[in-house]
Amino acid sequence: MHQIEHLTKIKVSTEKVYEAITTKEGLSAIWTPKLKVEPILGHVNEFDFDEGYITKMKVIALKESQQVTWHCIASDNEWQNTIINFDLRDKNNLTEIILTHRNWREITDYFRLCNYNWGMFLYRLKNYCEN
Amino acid sequence: MHQIEHLTKIKVSTEKVYEAITTKEGLSAIWTPKLKVEPILGHVNEFDFDEGYITKMKVIALKESQQVTWHCIASDNEWQNTIINFDLRDKNNLTEIILTHRNWREITDYFRLCNYNWGMFLYRLKNYCEN
């Protein structure tokens, strides 16, 4: 199994970052406006990226201002059954966010493109939270 | 050993991307203005990121418009002896660039931060080439 791992620093509280990655408002701005999300353990979030299928993410861990974990139960074949986790750490009034995307079966060009795109996701998250 | 792998698409020719990642002009805009670089096999490029040490990259492969490989011979401890490779592929008038940073001994927070920062490097490279 292979994994994607990113860390970045966002100059706002963990509460604000947590809100951005768990709510319709935040995820609409950062990821796709076509979505159904609820900050509820067990809920299946849905994201539509205009690719002909809906990406479904079951919320399997949720700790306020600390952790969000999604189990990808539907998407393209390479994402199927992968796990996306966000850990948030308070560091003197800024937030360190660690994003991991685990359980990739192979390192493919799509893995490489998704690694780049997770970087862009975090960059947009950072801009959204800080501005 | 662990590795960082990114892929992105840049809407210019492979020649232009190759020039950006091998010349003082390009790398000054994308990475750091404090640098000494030459597009010559065996040359040791130097990059200063104001961190109290100079990052030295020996050019160990160089194929015009196709590939650039650096062996990191001096930097912080985690980068020491790692290998950074850029592969360029022409895809109907755009360039696919694959960046790999191999030979990491551990997955650390610094690895995670560098993965994010390589994404930012490619984002700046893309903006530099396309604008």
Side-chain angles (χ1 to χ4, degrees), chain B residues 61-123:
Chain B
L62 203 58
K63 291 181 203 165
E64 208 164 319
S65 305
Q66 288 180 61
Q67 187 189 9
V68 178
T69 316
W70 297 332
H71 174 197
C72 181
I73 60 172
S75 190
D76 77 277
N77 181 51
E78 292 191 58
W79 276 41
Q80 188 76 30
N81 278 322
T82 58
I83 304 286
I84 292 156
N85 184 74
F86 302 91
D87 276 323
L88 308 180
R89 297 179 194 156
D90 176 29
K91 296 272 177 175
N92 300 321
N93 298 320
L94 65 76
T95 297
E96 264 186 12
I97 179 166
I98 293 179
L99 159 64
T100 60
H101 188 175
R102 293 174 188 260
N103 289 4
W104 286 79
R105 294 177 290 280
E106 281 185 281
I107 292 183
T108 61
D109 278 354
Y110 188 58
F111 172 97
R112 296 180 179 107
L113 183 65
C114 290
N115 188 30
Y116 176 75
N117 284 334
W118 279 123
M120 294 303 105
F121 175 98
L122 288 176
Y123 181 64

Side-chain angles (χ1 to χ4, degrees), chain B residues 1 4 7-8 10 13 29-30 34 40 47 49 54 57 66 74-75 83 85-86 90-92 104-105 113 115 124 127:
Chain B
M1 291 294 189
I4 285 169
L7 183 155
T8 194
I10 303 178
S13 66
I30 298 160
K34 296 184 184 177
I40 296 169
F47 301 97
F49 301 102
I54 306 293
M57 299 285 197
Q66 288 180 61
S75 190
I83 304 286
N85 184 74
F86 302 91
D90 176 29
K91 296 272 177 175
N92 300 321
W104 286 79
R105 294 177 290 280
L113 183 65
N115 188 30
R124 290 192 300 272
N127 283 334

Side-chain angles (χ1 to χ4, degrees), chain A residues 3-8 89 96 98 100 102 107 109 111-113 115-116 119-120 122-123 126, chain B residues 3-8 89 96 98 100 102 107 109 111-113 115-116 119-120 122-123 126:
Chain A
Q3 69 220 47
I4 285 168
E5 307 232 5
H6 285 269
L7 184 154
T8 194
R89 297 180 194 156
E96 263 185 14
I98 294 179
T100 60
R102 295 175 185 260
I107 293 183
D109 278 354
F111 172 97
R112 296 179 178 106
L113 183 64
N115 188 31
Y116 176 75
M120 294 303 105
L122 289 176
Y123 181 64
K126 185 175 163 69
Chain B
Q3 69 220 48
I4 285 169
E5 307 232 5
H6 286 269
L7 183 155
T8 194
R89 297 179 194 156
E96 264 186 12
I98 293 179
T100 60
R102 293 174 188 260
I107 292 183
D109 278 354
F111 172 97
R112 296 180 179 107
L113 183 65
N115 188 30
Y116 176 75
M120 294 303 105
L122 288 176
Y123 181 64
K126 185 175 163 70

